[in-house]
Amino acid sequence: MIRPPGTRSRAPSMTPPTRRAFLKAGAAALTGAMIAPERILADPYAPLDLRATPHPAPIRVRGVVRSRGAGLPRVPVTDGAQVVDTAADGTFELVTVPEQGFVRITLPSGYRIPLNSPGTARFYQPLTRTSEQSAVFELEPDPVPHDDHTLLLLGDIQTQDSTETSWFLSQSVPDLRGTAVSLGDEHAFGISCGDIMFDNLDLYPDYERGVAEIGIPFFQVVGNHDLDMDSPTDRGSIATFTGHFGPGNYSFNRGAVHYVVLDDVFWYGRGYLGYLDADTLRWLEQDLARVEPGSPVIVATHIPVLGSQHLRFDEESPSTGLAITNREALYRLLEPFNAHILTGHTHECEHVFEHGTHEHVTGAVCGAWWSGPICHDGTPNGYCVYTIRGEQVSWRYKATGHDPDHQMRLHRTGTDPSVPGELLANIWNWDPEWTVRWFADGEPRGEMERRRGLDPLSVELHSGPDLPERRDWVEPVPVDHLFRAAVTGEEGEVVVEATDRFGRVHRGEWRRE
């Protein structure tokens, strides 16, 4: 196809042949693919790096990290493979190659987040192709303390066209702006956790406009729909992303928390895998070596490290496009820390506890791909709010357009013939530390029974070959955050009380018509 002048070649939008196959698109391309995925899957823990391996002339980068004329010591500086620390006067020297793309710093706590003009974080400087390069990082002290701060986590904004972009700007952004304003003077920032776009990377400026309107700094994670899919290599696949937001792997400190952002989407020319390449693991090992054991570490990455969707579909293991194939390496590196892993990708909400880590799979800003008000697990379109107080991390899910206390949805169903009047509660941010009780006409009836099943509203909106209208390949997914009460039908009022791990009580009410 002949392209108009000035346009970029883009792979066709990945419209899956079956509904659930959409989330498995990366694995579906393995047949007849290049050798990269075959070698990775043969030994996913080998230090394999299958990107192009040129032999460029090295660059000696000499620079300084300073604030108001004074050099800052012990600030980590990296090219994404090696890490050095600034000297007592804030200076550093690093020998690298142009293909590493950027020299970047681990932003120290106590300093403002440097910004690009739209409000995205700028902690990096591009590498040149000269043999010598200087890099100066100027940091401004932040008068606002960082020990207490708030993170807004956005999963899968995933706009594909101007219509969806307008919904993001008119619905999601005002809600996010309202949350940011409600925080007052508290230090706050956001992380967009991948799939910022839905293949149409020309829309990045509209996302940047949204960031500017929200009014707090934002960091970005690479998602599988944020890639230049005409690239034959993993490195080349993030060229447009890095042109807007800088490198895919980096870290920063806020208060007592060390934050890490990882690119876990490995593009092999015909599809993607969840995978952390050799440079990433080498860098991460050095990065975490500078963090005190026992400290809180929050890792943001797009594809879940493990997730549980495979279990809910009665499969033994996750597909290569739904989890990190060499996740054991990441688990080992995170063992010394109080680690939270924040992910997106699957457009659902769940908590997974594995190898001492707590993985938060967040619901999507776009819900079920901008097809309606909910994700395909019944979670409302929305985002997560993480509150940090010293070393303590707490969280809640914020449904777009709803009060912050909107944490469940009740359904009167007849799905179980043995209990034709059962009441179902979808409590999307549930984890095993929650307690869910119910009351009938003011009388306590005990704890509700957790069950695996489909959210009734998702069944209504997403089931069938013609639903939803905008994305007819979306279908309900089984979830583990449904709770059942065997009501008789004689009750006038049923109240569900869900107490989360932080002692907050969330209520839902159902009344007989």
Side-chain angles (χ1 to χ4, degrees):
M1 181 177 68
I2 298 176
R3 304 193 308 275
T7 62
R8 292 181 292 107
S9 171
R10 298 285 299 140
S13 174
M14 289 191 290
T15 302
T18 62
R19 295 178 175 187
R20 186 167 179 247
F22 175 79
L23 291 175
K24 292 184 151 185
L30 285 177
T31 302
M34 297 159 54
I35 193 172
E38 296 170 358
R39 291 180 62 187
I40 291 172
L41 295 176
D43 187 357
Y45 305 104
L48 185 66
D49 190 345
L50 296 173
R51 298 172 298 187
T53 310
H55 299 280
I59 305 170
R60 186 181 304 276
V61 182
R62 293 186 174 94
V64 63
V65 182
R66 63 193 181 200
S67 177
R68 298 185 176 179
L72 299 179
R74 299 184 301 279
V75 176
V77 183
T78 180
D79 63 350
Q82 57 185 314
V83 183
V84 299
D85 297 313
T86 58
D89 61 355
T91 59
F92 67 88
E93 183 174 313
L94 184 70
V95 178
T96 183
V97 291
E99 279 65 29
Q100 291 302 115
F102 299 89
V103 59
R104 69 214 75 162
I105 65 172
T106 296
L107 288 171
S109 185
Y111 295 88
R112 297 182 188 271
I113 299 171
L115 300 177
N116 295 305
S117 56
T120 53
R122 187 174 182 86
F123 48 89
Y124 55 88
Q125 293 189 24
L127 291 170
T128 66
R129 291 190 173 270
T130 59
S131 60
E132 300 283 337
Q133 181 177 343
S134 64
V136 177
F137 293 91
E138 296 277 3
L139 301 181
E140 184 70 20
D142 194 341
V144 177
H146 290 178
D147 287 342
D148 295 347
H149 64 270
T150 297
L151 159 66
L152 305 186
L153 184 77
L154 281 59
D156 298 77
I157 300 170
Q158 207 157 340
T159 55
Q160 189 176 42
D161 53 35
S162 59
T163 297
E164 294 170 3
T165 297
S166 70
W167 290 335
F168 168 64
L169 293 173
S170 65
Q171 298 172 18
S172 307
V173 167
D175 196 292
L176 286 156
R177 173 64 179 165
T179 298
V181 170
S182 72
L183 299 173
D185 294 331
E186 181 170 314
H187 180 60
F189 59 92
I191 297 178
S192 292
C193 209
D195 279 4
I196 301 169
M197 296 292 105
F198 194 169
D199 300 344
N200 186 357
L201 308 191
D202 294 327
L203 296 178
Y204 275 139
D206 292 306
Y207 161 75
E208 292 170 323
R209 175 185 160 196
V211 167
E213 293 180 10
I214 294 167
I216 60 174
F218 262 81
F219 298 87
Q220 284 66 225
V221 179
V222 178
N224 53 288
H225 286 287
D226 294 318
L227 305 181
D228 292 287
M229 296 176 191
D230 50 0
S231 170
T233 66
D234 181 55
R235 190 189 299 275
S237 70
I238 61 172
T240 301
F241 177 94
T242 60
H244 283 269
F245 310 119
N249 297 314
Y250 54 93
S251 65
F252 57 96
N253 295 313
R254 300 286 93 179
V257 181
H258 183 66
Y259 290 87
V260 177
V261 170
L262 297 178
D263 173 7
D264 68 346
V265 182
F266 189 94
W267 179 256
Y268 55 84
R270 301 183 186 181
Y272 65 90
L273 306 172
Y275 180 72
L276 299 174
D277 68 19
D279 272 0
T280 299
L281 293 173
R282 188 160 49 243
W283 164 76
L284 183 59
E285 181 178 20
Q286 298 170 76
D287 177 78
L288 293 177
R290 291 160 167 78
V291 180
E292 186 72 24
S295 299
V297 172
I298 294 180
V299 178
T301 190
H302 179 62
I303 297 175
V305 179
L306 179 60
S308 74
Q309 193 178 108
H310 61 290
L311 299 177
R312 290 179 273 120
F313 278 94
D314 296 320
E315 298 170 355
E316 291 187 4
S317 60
S319 74
T320 57
L322 286 181
I324 297 177
T325 57
N326 56 342
R327 53 188 169 273
E328 285 288 341
L330 179 61
Y331 288 142
R332 291 289 178 87
L333 291 174
L334 293 176
E335 276 181 358
F337 309 104
N338 176 18
H340 295 266
I341 306 172
L342 316 183
T343 73
H345 191 50
T346 56
H347 297 239
E348 57 189 359
C349 204
E350 66 168 335
H351 295 265
V352 177
F353 300 86
E354 189 73 22
H355 289 271
T357 68
H358 181 170
E359 179 173 5
H360 309 237
V361 182
T362 188
V365 170
C366 71
W369 296 269
W370 295 110
S371 65
I374 61 171
C375 302
H376 56 177
D377 71 334
T379 299
N381 301 3
Y383 52 95
C384 277
V385 180
Y386 289 84
T387 302
I388 288 80
R389 297 291 180 261
E391 294 192 352
Q392 302 303 309
V393 182
S394 62
W395 54 88
R396 61 179 169 84
Y397 189 82
K398 174 63 175 70
T400 302
H402 291 271
D403 186 273
D405 291 333
H406 181 59
Q407 298 294 323
M408 70 177 77
R409 186 187 304 109
L410 304 186
H411 305 272
R412 179 71 179 273
T413 77
T415 55
D416 184 345
S418 66
V419 192
E422 71 178 351
L423 188 80
L424 282 183
N426 188 340
I427 305 174
W428 37 83
N429 205 24
W430 174 88
D431 70 54
E433 296 297 319
W434 288 50
T435 301
V436 183
R437 297 183 174 89
W438 69 292
F439 302 79
D441 298 322
E443 296 295 323
R445 294 295 182 90
E447 293 193 16
M448 296 181 75
E449 175 189 353
R450 187 164 67 95
R451 59 177 292 181
R452 178 173 294 172
L454 303 178
D455 174 74
L457 182 58
S458 182
V459 171
E460 177 186 341
L461 296 179
H462 301 148
S463 292
D466 300 321
L467 292 176
E469 183 177 347
R470 297 195 77 254
R471 307 284 191 205
D472 61 9
W473 38 263
V474 172
E475 66 176 325
V477 293
V479 296
D480 286 333
H481 44 70
L482 293 177
F483 291 81
R484 167 184 173 275
V487 298
T488 64
E490 299 301 317
E491 298 86 354
E493 180 186 62
V494 175
V495 174
V496 175
E497 284 191 355
T499 305
D500 66 22
R501 62 166 54 219
F502 308 110
R504 299 174 301 205
V505 179
H506 311 287
R507 291 169 56 91
E509 297 180 0
W510 174 84
R511 290 182 174 85
R512 184 172 55 180
E513 296 180 355

